[in-house]
């Protein structure tokens, strides 16, 4: 059972994992150095623990103790309890979801482990916005995709903002980073996947046509603004586009992923 520890001093060193969460550079340094990540909100905290991540500690307002009682009962980590004004002073923002947890990261699985048994996977190249990464995970999980592969420069799916936007989907979908960016798509083709890249290339066909009849699908999406690299566009098995109207050329990558995942789920 978690040890309940009431805290009254915002400078208490036991709260170091939660301090100044608005500072992105500070968080990246802290999380990389200590191998931790943060989950925010009752549902996300619960899904992180149920996903097999070991809590280092919890931080919450008194009113959230009952809602997470079963999670706390299964953990030996300390639970720091403080009022919401004090929590805001510690974290740097209003903790309106009431509960946070600091959890240990797990070693990343291999690409083969992530792909084992998967029929539909998402492949992201240099999607650097945490909100977009979280939204893509959420769409993929909701629409039946079974795994996610990330290029080395993609944003961290376990960064607090990504976890929050994904509503815990980062714990439901197996994922890992691709060790070989350059030949990632040919490698997937060799494993039996048809790689379909969303792009504005001249030879791109309607995404509905591109995924039709595909058994094992790897849906490939590029970074914000510039889209996919020329290398990935050229090495994909098929190039696809979501038809636009009203003079709009494309959607935000998170919105595009939702549309394409929906189409792919119905193939």
């Amino acid at each position: 059972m978690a040890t309940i520890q009431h805290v009254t001093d915002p400078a208490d060193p036991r709260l170091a994992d939660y301090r100044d969460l608005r500072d992105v550079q500070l968080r990246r340094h802290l999380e990389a150095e200590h191998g931790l990540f943060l989950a925010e909100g009752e549902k996300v905290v619960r899904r992180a623990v149920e996903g097999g991540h070991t809590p280092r500690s919890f931080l919450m307002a008194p009113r959230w103790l009952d809602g997470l009682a079963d999670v706390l009962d299964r953990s030996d980590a300390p639970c720091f309890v403080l009022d919401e004004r004090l929590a805001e002073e510690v974290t740097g923002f209003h903790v309106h979801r009431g509960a946070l947890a600091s959890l240990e990261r797990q070693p990343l699985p291999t690409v083969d482990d992530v792909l084992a048994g998967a029929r539909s996977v998402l492949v992201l190249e240099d999607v650097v916005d945490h909100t977009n990464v979280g939204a893509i995970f959420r769409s993929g999980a909701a629409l039946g995709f079974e795994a996610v592969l990330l290029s080395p420069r993609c944003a961290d799916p376990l960064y607090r903002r990504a976890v929050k936007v994904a509503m815990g989907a980062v714990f439901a979908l197996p994922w890992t980073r691709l060790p070989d960016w350059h030949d990632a798509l040919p490698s997937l083709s060799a494993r039996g996947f048809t790689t379909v890249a969303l792009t504005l290339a001249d030879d791109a066909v309607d995404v509905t046509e591109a995924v039709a009849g595909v058994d094992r699908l790897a849906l490939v999406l590029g970074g914000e603004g510039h889209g996919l690299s020329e290398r990935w566009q050229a090495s994909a098995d098929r190039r696809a586009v979501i038809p636009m109207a009203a003079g709009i050329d494309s959607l935000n990558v998170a919105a595009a992923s939702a549309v394409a995942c929906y189409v792919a789920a119905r193939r």
Side-chain angles (χ1 to χ4, degrees):
M1 177 181 293
T3 305
I4 305 300
Q5 302 180 24
H6 292 272
V7 178
T8 58
D9 180 5
D12 191 314
R14 294 175 296 175
L15 306 181
D17 286 1
Y18 305 97
R19 190 158 287 118
D20 301 321
L21 299 185
R22 280 182 174 171
D23 190 325
V24 174
Q25 295 301 322
L26 175 64
R27 295 309 310 168
R28 286 177 178 166
H29 173 73
L30 176 64
E31 293 173 13
E33 180 180 348
H34 295 286
L36 63 88
F37 70 96
L38 297 177
E40 179 186 354
E42 178 185 355
K43 290 182 180 179
V44 175
V45 169
R46 183 182 302 282
R47 288 170 182 169
V49 175
E50 291 174 349
H53 294 278
T54 302
R56 290 162 53 100
S57 65
F58 302 90
L59 181 149
M60 64 186 69
R63 64 190 178 94
W64 289 96
L65 287 170
D66 289 343
L68 283 165
D70 60 317
V71 175
L72 297 177
D73 285 345
R74 299 195 302 266
S75 175
D76 295 327
C79 177
F80 304 120
V81 179
L82 59 169
D83 67 43
E84 295 182 36
R85 177 196 57 79
L86 196 62
E88 182 173 351
E89 188 173 346
V90 172
T91 63
F93 69 98
H94 178 52
V95 189
H96 67 282
R97 294 184 182 269
L100 292 163
S102 172
L103 303 110
E104 295 179 2
R105 289 174 179 258
Q106 298 173 342
L108 288 179
T110 66
V111 171
D112 285 335
D113 285 343
V114 166
L115 295 179
R119 180 171 173 262
S120 300
V121 303
L122 288 163
V123 189
L124 309 186
E125 183 189 40
D126 298 355
V127 179
V128 298
D129 183 272
H130 293 97
T131 298
N132 284 335
V133 167
I136 292 169
F137 266 81
R138 187 172 182 177
S139 294
L143 294 166
F145 276 69
E146 298 147 313
V148 182
L149 299 176
L150 308 172
S151 73
R153 291 190 293 185
C154 275
D156 180 9
L158 293 183
Y159 185 72
R160 181 181 64 87
R161 182 64 181 167
V163 172
K164 180 179 178 181
V165 171
M167 284 300 294
V170 295
F171 311 122
L173 284 182
W175 64 273
T176 196
R177 291 194 184 273
L178 292 158
D180 179 9
W181 164 85
H182 189 263
D183 289 324
L185 300 194
S187 175
L188 287 171
S189 299
R191 286 176 166 91
F193 286 90
T194 299
T195 56
V196 176
L198 284 187
T199 172
L200 299 179
D202 291 340
D203 64 346
V205 300
D206 187 311
V207 65
T208 304
E209 177 185 345
V211 302
V214 172
D215 180 20
R216 304 184 75 196
L217 169 67
L219 185 63
V220 186
L221 300 109
E224 300 84 356
H226 55 77
L228 288 169
S229 65
E230 291 185 7
R231 169 62 185 173
W232 273 29
Q233 289 189 55
S235 60
D237 296 318
R238 302 179 184 181
R239 281 158 291 284
V241 66
I242 299 171
M244 298 282 110
I248 306 298
D249 66 346
S250 63
L251 298 171
N252 162 274
V253 65
S257 74
V259 173
C261 286
Y262 178 79
V263 170
R266 297 167 62 88
R267 72 186 187 278

